[in-house]
Amino acid sequence: MADAQLLLKRGPSRSTWLRARKARPQLVLSRRPRRRLGTLRWCGRRRLRRRLLQAQAAGADWRESGCLVSRSAARRPKTAAPSPAPAAAPAPSCPTTLPIPPVRPAGPGRALLLLPRDQGFTFSGICRVTCLYGQVQVLGYTISQGHPAQDVFSTYTHSRLTINAVHYSVPEKSKKEVKREARALLRSHLNRDDRCWLMKNFSPLCSIVMLEQLRTSTVNFLVSHPGLSYVFVQESPTFQINSEHLALRSVGIKREKKKNGLRLTESALSAMEELVTVSCEEVDGCPVILVCGSQDVGKSTFNRYLINQLLNSISCVDYLECDLGQTEFTPPGCISLLNITEPILGPPFTHQRTPQKMVYYGKPSCKNNYENYIEIIQYVFSSYKREAPLIVNTMGWVSDKGLLLLIDLIRLLSPSHVVQFSSGRSKYMPNLTPDYVDDMDGLYTKSKSRIRNRGFQLAEFTESLEFADEEKESPVVFTGHKLICVQSDFAFRKTPRNRESHNKVLRDLAVLGYLGQLQPPVPKPLYPLHGLTPYQVPFNAVALRITHADVAPTHILYAVNASWVGLCKILDDVRGYANGPILLAQTPICDCLGFGICRGIDMEKRLYHILTPVPPEELRNVNCLLVGAISIPQCVFKSQRGLEGTIPYVTTDYNSKLPGASEKIGARETEETREEKVHPKPKLYRKIN
C-alpha cells in the first residue's frame, strides 16, 4: 500500500515523455513546462498541447505570455532542429506589431491609446477622453476628432466602461497621404517622439485617443470618506509592472478584462437601433418610450446607452424619472423631469443635475401611498412640452400591485413604445401588449371591457392636468403602443439577501454626489461640511412637514434637526405668522428646488441653519421644508475631518424602547411589514442646539 502511494506521488516516467515527444516532435518543452505537464490530467495535457500548437502555427514562441515574439528571435533549445538561413525565413506579421491596444505615456498624468479598428479598451477609474484621430464610442456616445473632451467614470459599482474604436468613413487616399494627414492633426497635441511612435504603429481606420488625469470636486469629496475610494480604483497585486501599467496608473485608471465590461444582448441592441430610428424620423410627434422590467435587469444601463445614442443624432432628450429608489439625476425619493443635452458617461452619483421639474416624494418606495405617487407623476408629466423624445424610467416592482400600478402608468402617459425587460433570473412578468393592457384593471383605471368608447378617458387624472391650448379640447386617450421585448443577460452579484444593502450604498453615493456640489472647484482644497457657512432661515419664513410619518407637534423640531430636507415652493403664503414654526397638516404636491442639511436649530433666535448647494436666487422662492425617509449617510456624521471630542448627533446611549426608535425608515418594505405598520415615528430624537 505504501509503495502504491509512493508511485502516485511520482510524476510520469521517462518513457511517457518519450512517447509524448514522439507524438509531438515539433514541440520542444523546457524543464518548467515539463514539470507543469506532469501535474496535469489527460484533458489538461491535451488542452495545453492544443494551445502550444496554435502558438507555433502563428509563428510565435509560446513561452512568452504577454507579448508574442517570433521563434527566430527567441533563443532555441539545444535539442531543436537547425533553422534555415535568416534571409530565407518568412517574416511573420504578428510579432512586428505592439500588443493590442498599445498604450504609451505622454507626460505626467497623460497616456496615448492606439486602437485598431473594432478593438476596445476596458478600464476602471476616471479619466478625460479626447479623440485625436478617428472615432471612438463610450457607452453608446460617439467621440470624433475635433469634439470636446469627455469625462468618463468607470466605477466598480457598475459594469466597467469600454472605449471602442468604431468604423468611420474616409475618402479614398493612399496610406502615405493618410499618415501625412494624421501627423498634421497630431502636431498641435503631441511632441515629436510621440508622433513618431504613433506613425510607426499606425494602421488604416485606427483611432488615437488621449487619456488624461481627471480630478473633480465631487469625486474628491466622495473618496475623502473612508471606504469609498474603492468605488473608482481598487489596487490589486500585479506581477507585470511595465510601461503600460505605469502610464495608466499616472492617469488614474487600470486596464480590466473584457468580460468585466458592459455587454448588451442582441435584443437590446436591436431595440435601441429601432428606437433611435423612430426618434430621428418621427413625423407625427416625439415618441414616448417607457422602459419597464423587474429589478436588476439593466433598465438604467439601457436608458443611459439609449440617451447617448440619441444625442449622437439629436440635440436633446427628455427624461421622466419614476423610480424612487434608484434615481438617475437626483437624490433618491424624487420624481423629476429633465432635459438632457450632454452625454451620460458614468453612474448616477457622478452626474447629479438640476431638473426642469421635480417633486420630493420622500421615500424610496411608493408602497402604502400609491395614489399620491400617481398624482405626483401626473403633476410632473404635465410639464412635458412634447418637443423632444421622452424616456420614462419605471420601478422594478412589477408583481401584485406593482404590476397594476404599471398598467395605470401606461394608460396615463400613453407611450408610443414600451420596452419590457425580462431575464431568466427575474420573476415572471406577463407581456404588456396593448391587448393585455386593454383587458386588465389597474389600481385606479378600468379595463377596456368596462368602458364602451375606444380609448381610456382618465377622468380622475385629467381634471388637474395643465395641457397646452391646442391639447385642451382632446382628452387623454390611450390609443395603444408597440411592445419591444428585450432579453437581459446581465451578470450581477446581487441576491435577494444583499440587494437592499447594495441599493442603500447607491442611494448614499447619490446623496454624497449631490453634497459634492458644495465643494469649491479643483484645484482648491476640500472643506469639511461643518466648516462651510450655512444659510439662516427664520422660523416664520418656511413651513414644515414630515412626509413619511405622523409626528407630534412637540417633536417636529427634533425630527428636522440634522436631517435631509427638501427645499420646496408651495403656492400658499406662509408669511404673516409671528413666531413659528409653521406646521402643515397635509403633504403638498409642490415643486422641489433642491436639497440641504439642517445643520442646527437656534431656539433663541428662532432660526434654521441650512447647508445647501442651491444658489441664493433660487432660495428666495423656498417657503417649505419637507423631511422624508431619505437619511444622511452615516459617513457624513462619523468621518468628517477636523472633528474633536464628541461627535455631534452620534451617541452610544440610545434608547431602543422609544416609539419608532427601531423603525428602519428608508428601507424597502415587505408585504408582511407593510400590513403591520401603522403611523411610524421618527427614527431618532436629536438634540436641538
Side-chain angles (χ1 to χ4, degrees):
M1 185 67 181
D3 295 340
Q5 292 180 355
L6 183 62
L7 290 175
L8 288 176
K9 292 182 180 179
R10 294 175 59 186
S13 62
R14 186 173 182 84
S15 61
T16 304
W17 280 109
L18 290 176
R19 289 196 300 268
R21 292 187 61 178
K22 288 180 180 179
R24 302 290 186 217
Q26 65 272 34
L27 297 181
V28 181
L29 301 179
S30 60
R31 181 178 301 174
R32 182 176 297 176
R34 285 205 306 269
R35 191 176 301 151
R36 177 186 176 191
L37 187 60
T39 60
L40 295 177
R41 294 186 177 181
W42 177 81
C43 58
R45 296 181 188 179
R46 187 176 180 180
R47 191 181 303 111
L48 179 59
R49 291 192 186 105
R50 189 185 304 115
R51 292 177 180 173
L52 299 182
L53 288 174
Q54 291 175 354
Q56 188 182 33
D61 187 3
W62 52 269
R63 289 172 296 180
E64 300 291 339
S65 58
C67 175
L68 299 179
V69 298
S70 63
R71 289 187 296 147
S72 60
R75 182 179 60 85
R76 290 184 175 276
K78 295 181 180 180
T79 56
S83 59
S93 59
C94 178
T96 58
T97 59
L98 292 176
I100 298 178
V103 178
R104 174 184 171 88
R110 302 174 69 192
L112 279 174
L113 179 64
L114 181 61
L115 286 173
R117 178 181 174 183
D118 298 330
Q119 292 288 332
F121 174 75
T122 305
F123 70 98
S124 60
I126 61 174
C127 64
R128 179 162 292 165
V129 177
T130 306
C131 185
L132 303 180
Y133 181 81
Q135 197 173 82
V136 296
Q137 197 174 84
V138 183
L139 199 58
Y141 185 74
T142 302
I143 308 174
S144 304
Q145 62 187 44
H147 285 192
Q150 297 294 335
D151 298 343
V152 181
F153 305 85
S154 181
T155 65
Y156 282 87
T157 56
H158 297 72
S159 297
R160 259 60 91 211
L161 301 184
T162 302
I163 303 175
N164 291 305
V166 296
H167 177 72
Y168 54 92
S169 59
V170 292
E172 295 185 1
K173 296 180 181 179
S174 63
K175 186 176 181 180
K176 186 176 182 180
E177 293 176 341
V178 173
K179 275 192 172 184
R180 187 183 298 114
E181 180 182 351
R183 190 181 291 109
L185 288 172
L186 300 174
R187 187 171 290 113
S188 60
H189 301 279
L190 305 173
N191 57 32
R192 182 179 179 182
D193 293 339
D194 294 336
R195 294 199 306 270
C196 293
W197 176 81
L198 287 173
M199 292 301 103
K200 180 181 178 181
N201 303 281
F202 188 85
S203 61
L205 296 179
C206 70
S207 298
I208 302 173
V209 179
M210 174 68 75
L211 306 177
E212 298 177 279
Q213 189 180 37
L214 176 63
R215 288 290 180 265
T216 65
S217 56
T218 299
V219 172
N220 291 343
F221 178 73
L222 284 170
V223 300
S224 66
H225 296 85
L228 293 184
S229 59
Y230 77 94
V231 172
F232 297 99
V233 176
Q234 294 185 5
E235 293 293 340
S236 58
T238 178
F239 301 99
Q240 185 179 5
I241 300 179
N242 48 22
S243 60
E244 175 190 323
H245 176 81
L246 297 176
L248 296 179
R249 188 174 182 178
S250 68
V251 176
I253 62 177
K254 186 177 71 171
R255 183 196 287 269
E256 295 284 346
K257 295 181 179 179
K258 186 178 180 180
K259 65 179 183 180
N260 295 332
L262 175 63
R263 292 172 294 175
L264 296 178
T265 60
E266 292 295 332
S267 58
L269 294 174
S270 176
M272 212 165 304
E273 182 180 358
E274 179 180 352
L275 294 174
V276 170
T277 303
V278 170
S279 301
C280 297
E281 298 179 356
E282 190 72 25
V283 178
D284 299 333
C286 296
V288 176
I289 304 167
L290 186 141
V291 182
C292 62
S294 58
Q295 295 178 340
D296 306 324
V297 292
K299 299 189 301 295
S300 299
T301 303
F302 179 86
N303 290 337
R304 297 186 200 110
Y305 206 101
L306 178 59
I307 290 175
N308 291 337
Q309 287 272 292
L310 290 173
L311 291 178
N312 291 332
S313 305
I314 59 180
S315 59
C316 62
V317 180
D318 287 338
Y319 185 86
L320 177 61
E321 181 62 81
C322 300
D323 188 356
L324 297 169
Q326 303 298 328
T327 52
E328 185 68 35
F329 299 100
T330 64
C334 298
I335 296 174
S336 57
L337 176 68
L338 299 96
N339 185 259
I340 310 301
T341 58
E342 298 179 356
I344 307 169
L345 303 177
F349 51 87
T350 61
H351 50 250
Q352 295 287 299
R353 300 181 182 178
T354 303
Q356 178 182 344
K357 190 99 169 172
M358 177 172 62
V359 174
Y360 184 45
Y361 184 83
K363 294 193 298 182
S365 173
C366 69
K367 294 182 178 180
N368 291 336
N369 200 356
Y370 313 107
E371 187 174 357
N372 191 33
Y373 174 74
I374 288 288
E375 290 176 352
I376 292 177
I377 292 179
Q378 161 196 330
Y379 174 76
V380 175
F381 180 66
S382 64
S383 299
Y384 175 50
K385 304 301 183 183
R386 307 179 190 273
E387 297 176 352
L390 176 66
I391 298 176
V392 182
N393 185 38
T394 59
M395 298 182 298
W397 182 35
V398 292
S399 60
D400 301 330
K401 291 185 178 180
L403 179 61
L404 303 181
L405 199 62
L406 181 58
I407 293 176
D408 286 338
L409 283 183
I410 293 176
R411 292 173 178 166
L412 172 64
L413 303 178
S414 298
S416 59
H417 297 77
V418 172
V419 182
Q420 181 175 345
F421 277 78
S422 60
S423 173
R425 294 181 292 266
S426 60
K427 294 182 179 180
Y428 169 74
M429 179 181 178
N431 290 336
L432 299 178
T433 61
D435 293 338
Y436 181 85
V437 176
D438 286 349
D439 298 335
M440 284 293 295
D441 289 341
L443 282 179
Y444 302 101
T445 58
K446 302 301 180 182
S447 62
K448 185 178 178 181
S449 60
R450 301 192 182 187
I451 301 178
R452 294 184 178 181
N453 58 333
R454 177 66 177 173
F456 298 95
Q457 298 188 11
L458 306 180
E460 63 271 27
F461 289 153
T462 58
E463 291 179 357
S464 60
L465 278 176
E466 298 179 0
F467 292 105
D469 295 337
E470 63 273 9
E471 297 174 347
K472 288 183 177 179
E473 298 180 358
S474 59
V476 176
V477 177
F478 178 70
T479 58
H481 61 269
K482 180 177 181 180
L483 178 65
I484 302 177
C485 295
V486 174
Q487 184 66 26
S488 175
D489 192 22
F490 276 91
F492 54 87
R493 293 188 292 264
K494 290 186 188 178
T495 62
R497 183 172 300 179
N498 66 1
R499 177 180 290 116
E500 178 55 36
S501 61
H502 183 87
N503 293 340
K504 180 65 167 58
V505 170
L506 295 181
R507 288 195 290 268
D508 288 348
L509 287 173
V511 173
L512 292 174
Y514 185 86
L515 292 176
Q517 302 176 20
L518 289 165
Q519 299 297 327
V522 175
K524 293 183 179 179
L526 291 177
Y527 293 100
L529 294 183
H530 61 82
L532 300 175
T533 304
Y535 293 96
Q536 295 181 351
V537 183
F539 278 8
N540 58 0
V542 292
L544 294 180
R545 176 64 181 175
I546 309 297
T547 64
H548 64 288
D550 292 333
V551 181
T554 55
H555 292 159
I556 286 289
L557 295 182
Y558 290 96
V560 174
N561 195 26
S563 293
W564 182 257
V565 295
L567 310 178
C568 304
K569 175 185 177 182
I570 59 177
L571 298 179
D572 299 334
D573 189 3
V574 299
R575 293 175 298 179
Y577 294 87
N579 296 323
I582 305 170
L583 307 181
L584 296 177
Q586 295 180 349
T587 302
I589 297 179
C590 56
D591 293 348
C592 181
L593 305 182
F595 296 92
I597 296 177
C598 184
R599 270 199 53 194
I601 299 177
D602 191 336
M603 295 299 296
E604 295 182 358
K605 299 181 180 179
R606 309 189 74 79
L607 295 172
Y608 304 110
H609 295 276
I610 306 296
L611 192 64
T612 176
V614 179
E617 56 270 15
E618 292 289 337
L619 289 176
R620 296 189 182 97
N621 300 321
V622 175
N623 58 2
C624 177
L625 302 180
L626 296 183
V627 180
I630 307 301
S631 58
I632 302 173
Q634 295 184 4
C635 59
V636 172
F637 295 105
K638 299 167 59 177
S639 305
Q640 290 294 307
R641 294 182 294 108
L643 290 177
E644 297 180 359
T646 304
I647 302 177
Y649 309 113
V650 178
T651 180
T652 56
D653 186 14
Y654 184 72
N655 187 2
S656 300
K657 296 181 180 180
L658 289 174
S662 60
E663 191 68 44
K664 295 181 180 180
I665 292 179
R668 183 173 296 175
E669 301 170 346
T670 61
E671 291 294 333
E672 292 78 14
T673 58
R674 187 163 55 87
E675 297 295 334
E676 295 175 1
K677 288 184 179 180
V678 179
H679 303 305
K681 299 291 183 178
K683 183 177 181 181
L684 294 174
Y685 293 99
R686 301 183 178 94
K687 182 179 178 181
I688 301 177
N689 294 336

